[in-house]
Amino acid sequence: MAKPAISILWLKRDLRWQDHAALQSALQAGLPLLAIYLKEPTQWNQIQYSDRHWQFVWDSVAAMNEVLGQQKVHALSCEALEFFEACEQRFEIKGIYSHQEVGIQWTFDRDLALAEWCKKRNISWHEFPTFGVARGLRQRKYWLKNWYTNIHAPIEPLNMELCRTLLTTNPFPHWSAQAPELAQNLYQRGGIIRAHKVLDSFLLDRITVYARSISKPRESRRGCSRVSPHLAWGNLSVRQVFQHSRDLEVPGSKRNLKAFQDRLRWQSHFMQKFESEIEYEQVPINRGFIAVDATKKMDEEKFTAWKMGRTGVPLVDACMRCLDATGYLNFRMRAMVVSFYSQYLWLPWKPGADYLASLFTDFEPGIHYPQFQMQSGYTGVNTIRIYNPIKQSQDHDPKGIFLKEWIPELAQVPEEYIHEPWNIPPLQLAMENISLGDYPAVPIVDLSRARKHASDTLYATKKSKSAGVESKRILAKHTNPGRRER
Ligand SMILES: Cc1cc2nc3c(=O)[nH]c(=O)nc-3n(C[C@H](O)[C@H](O)[C@H](O)COP(=O)(O)OP(=O)(O)OC[C@H]3O[C@@H](n4cnc5c(N)ncnc54)[C@H](O)[C@@H]3O)c2cc1C
């Protein structure tokens, strides 16, 4: 008996209905359509992936079904090749439709293996670019122009009724993925319904305080858009967000709106860098800095202190505890904790980058690895920034409200000492009966010495011949000729 013909929609980091080129194209084929998200065990065992990501993906699949009004998107737990083999035995696969994943090396290798598998069986795999990212791009001359053209291109409306008709039930119920088993938590939750609510509340209200809260660890949690996990897992496309922000008239927010839209462009810019040079995940992008990283030895005690928020530097510790508990930090605080890890603690960049990836609910490889390297001072083409965590604390949390929220051990510390509790005079400690519990009495590194060492080494390396040659290569590959990297 002939096998029934089907198309397969393979959802990855594009968990939405609208502005979905792969879905639109699959619908045009007019065949029964099996829509799946694959929770591949090997992928989800990679060091960067964690349960908070799975909670977000699970929510996202559930929301797609809720909007459809039917359970027609299936989260399955199995390896991709295993799944497609099983499909092939049961169906005649007329086409596989997906977006190109701008993922880690593991997903890239998996895609190569699957492409080979499809080729051998004469199965067409239709892959569509992720917004703003071109595969195989050799140079950036027209990238920006194309980005602006595409960001304004009209979004094709989706025929939801056709979706309801063509999407199929789950033929592999034994592979149904399990709901996340997480205790109640503060991580941002996923799905298209929440995504639109978050975006609307930002554009219609919170955007008015965007610029003034963006650098502050506490205020940014409300004042920034918080759309990042929805973009990272594809509940919203960058184009949807941009066009929504363009079409809503928000009085008095012109500058804030521009700052927000600029960042949407940076999102694509960073992802394009990563797509063009996936080595960002493994080695310093400026190979001249490989030797610097080799001088760093892993010190498990320091690494653990940083992870646990027990370095003795209040802002670093509050940020790390907050990130662990909530999955979010604003840009400046991310940069600051990276600077502390790579430059003050002088630890090798890769374990720190992988660890943070597992904590950020919005983990987006294309932004994360290039940003981690940039904030470590490893690109050779950006200004080297060594954040002073005390000054950051004084500037962005002057009263120590954020510090006390996340470090209860500092609850009794007077405001004037909150940024440097080790400076409280012993007499005052005794007279006022102030206890810091088991919080480190002094920072685990000498801050000024560590800063000087990092500064001397990074600037000397940046000036070296090998880093200079690499910088030229990086500029030629990742920036528009004639425009300097920001
Ligand atoms: C070490 C480090 C790692 C990072 N890792 C990630 C990551 O894994 N995923 C991620 O989405 N962002 C990452 N960022 C960038 C940035 O910190 C977050 O995008 C931002 O804090 C998310 O909050 P928001 O959505 O409220 O941002 P908003 O300020 O409201 O910005 C809107 C959107 O623009 C994009 N964006 C904002 N800032 C940047 C930036 N500097 N570079 C590129 N795109 C940007 C994001 O998609 C963001 O959602 C990282 C930054 C650093 C320093």
Side-chain angles (χ1 to χ4, degrees):
M1 207 171 71
K3 294 188 275 188
I6 58 161
S7 306
I8 298 174
L9 175 69
W10 183 10
L11 295 161
K12 295 172 171 185
R13 284 174 170 263
D14 49 0
L15 294 162
R16 64 176 179 274
W17 292 118
Q18 303 296 334
D19 198 19
H20 200 298
L23 170 62
Q24 290 284 11
S25 186
L27 291 176
Q28 273 167 21
L31 290 168
L33 180 60
L34 177 56
I36 41 108
Y37 178 88
L38 294 178
K39 188 182 187 225
E40 298 157 271
T42 323
Q43 178 185 357
W44 283 80
N45 278 335
Q46 301 297 307
I47 194 160
Q48 299 93 338
Y49 285 83
S50 61
D51 282 352
R52 62 189 68 188
H53 300 139
W54 176 234
Q55 177 170 279
F56 201 91
V57 170
W58 178 264
D59 287 345
S60 303
V61 170
M64 286 183 78
N65 285 322
E66 195 180 333
V67 168
L68 190 70
Q70 297 175 349
Q71 294 290 316
K72 294 280 184 70
V73 178
H74 315 294
L76 303 180
S77 188
C78 64
E79 305 293 348
L81 276 176
E82 196 185 359
F83 167 79
F84 287 108
E85 293 270 4
C87 277
E88 208 216 0
Q89 284 179 15
R90 203 145 152 190
F91 303 105
E92 188 186 343
I93 306 174
K94 287 290 190 183
I96 300 171
Y97 298 81
S98 75
H99 276 108
Q100 284 166 346
E101 184 168 0
V102 186
I104 57 173
Q105 184 72 48
W106 187 90
T107 59
F108 188 69
D109 292 343
R110 184 262 335 261
D111 285 351
L112 287 180
L114 189 76
E116 194 56 32
W117 183 90
C118 288
K119 201 168 145 199
K120 279 194 189 139
R121 285 153 188 83
N122 220 4
I123 293 173
S124 310
W125 181 9
H126 308 273
E127 280 193 285
F128 297 81
T130 291
F131 182 86
V133 184
R135 188 151 282 180
L137 191 73
R138 286 177 186 270
Q139 49 108 327
R140 286 288 201 103
K141 195 162 178 198
Y142 301 107
W143 183 87
L144 193 61
K145 193 165 166 265
N146 288 338
W147 191 87
Y148 275 110
T149 307
N150 290 330
I151 204 85
H152 288 292
I155 294 175
E156 201 182 333
L158 177 72
N159 184 340
M160 281 305 263
E161 222 24 70
L162 189 58
C163 286
R164 290 189 189 97
T165 312
L166 292 185
L167 287 173
T168 68
T169 50
N170 179 9
F172 305 110
H174 57 287
W175 273 333
S176 294
Q178 299 298 308
E181 286 176 6
L182 277 174
Q184 215 173 358
N185 57 68
L186 300 171
Y187 313 137
Q188 208 171 330
R189 303 295 297 260
I192 35 186
I193 303 169
R194 291 190 183 96
H196 285 281
K197 273 193 191 150
V198 166
L199 180 59
D200 280 349
S201 79
F202 176 66
L203 293 173
L204 293 169
D205 174 20
R206 297 182 287 119
I207 194 168
T208 50
V209 294
Y210 186 49
R212 90 171 93 110
S213 24
I214 196 164
S215 296
K216 312 215 173 301
R218 196 155 179 273
E219 289 82 343
S220 60
R221 309 183 76 77
R222 180 178 178 273
C224 284
S225 73
R226 307 299 304 270
V227 294
S228 56
H230 297 295
L231 286 171
W233 299 100
N235 296 158
L236 296 165
S237 71
V238 176
R239 176 165 37 208
Q240 278 180 297
V241 175
F242 187 96
Q243 293 195 3
H244 202 49
S245 75
R246 178 198 64 190
D247 298 342
L248 275 182
E249 294 279 320
V250 189
S253 279
K254 212 167 159 197
R255 280 182 56 199
N256 283 331
L257 196 60
K258 163 129 187 11
F260 175 64
Q261 291 177 343
D262 283 348
R263 280 163 180 77
L264 295 176
R265 194 184 63 243
W266 299 356
Q267 192 263 14
S268 307
H269 166 67
F270 274 90
M271 288 181 69
Q272 180 65 60
K273 284 191 199 205
F274 191 68
E275 169 64 38
S276 301
E277 199 160 352
I278 197 172
E279 289 80 1
Y280 260 118
E281 187 195 333
Q282 310 292 349
V283 285
I285 202 60
N286 186 314
R287 312 294 192 266
F289 284 82
I290 291 177
V292 171
D293 205 60
T295 67
K296 298 177 171 181
K297 299 278 166 279
M298 180 40 84
D299 177 324
E300 289 298 339
E301 246 176 65
K302 286 185 179 152
F303 190 24
T304 304
W306 179 73
K307 289 200 273 192
M308 297 291 154
R310 292 188 50 78
T311 67
V313 180
L315 187 62
V316 174
D317 294 340
C319 284
M320 292 303 288
R321 293 181 192 194
C322 170
L323 174 60
D324 185 33
T326 69
Y328 180 80
L329 274 184
N330 60 321
F331 173 81
R332 183 176 286 263
M333 294 304 120
R334 293 186 199 207
M336 192 272 306
V337 296
V338 169
S339 165
F340 193 80
Y341 171 91
S342 288
Q343 297 164 341
Y344 288 84
L345 298 183
W346 206 247
L347 297 177
W349 78 280
K350 175 79 173 138
D354 289 338
Y355 178 70
L356 287 189
S358 73
L359 294 191
F360 292 144
T361 314
D362 62 19
F363 169 50
E364 174 61 77
I367 304 178
H368 184 70
Y369 287 106
Q371 276 289 358
F372 196 101
Q373 291 208 14
M374 193 163 138
Q375 306 309 334
S376 299
Y378 279 6
T379 67
V381 297
N382 302 100
T383 309
I384 293 169
R385 287 207 176 87
I386 303 178
Y387 285 81
N388 177 339
I390 312 301
K391 185 171 183 312
Q392 292 300 315
S393 190
Q394 289 160 343
D395 288 352
H396 300 299
D397 184 32
K399 291 182 181 303
I401 298 171
F402 178 75
L403 300 182
K404 289 192 176 180
E405 191 178 336
W406 290 102
I407 314 178
E409 302 97 297
L410 301 184
Q412 301 171 344
V413 174
E415 203 175 299
E416 74 242 60
Y417 294 113
I418 190 65
H419 309 289
E420 298 168 280
W422 55 89
N423 282 338
I424 310 176
L427 188 63
Q428 189 172 351
L429 276 178
M431 300 279 281
E432 293 177 23
N433 224 356
I434 298 170
S435 160
L436 272 56
D438 67 347
Y439 190 71
V442 288
I444 58 168
V445 279
D446 178 323
L447 294 178
S448 44
R449 206 172 326 147
R451 185 186 167 85
K452 180 164 184 337
H453 172 256
S455 171
D456 291 349
T457 312
L458 292 173
Y459 277 105
T461 309
K462 193 176 175 182
K463 282 191 204 135
S464 71
K465 201 169 162 209
S466 60
V469 172
E470 276 288 290
S471 294
K472 284 196 186 119
R473 179 190 68 77
I474 292 166
L475 286 174
K477 185 164 187 167
H478 297 292
T479 60
N480 193 348
R483 281 170 66 100
R484 286 212 53 195
E485 175 86 338
R486 285 178 57 135

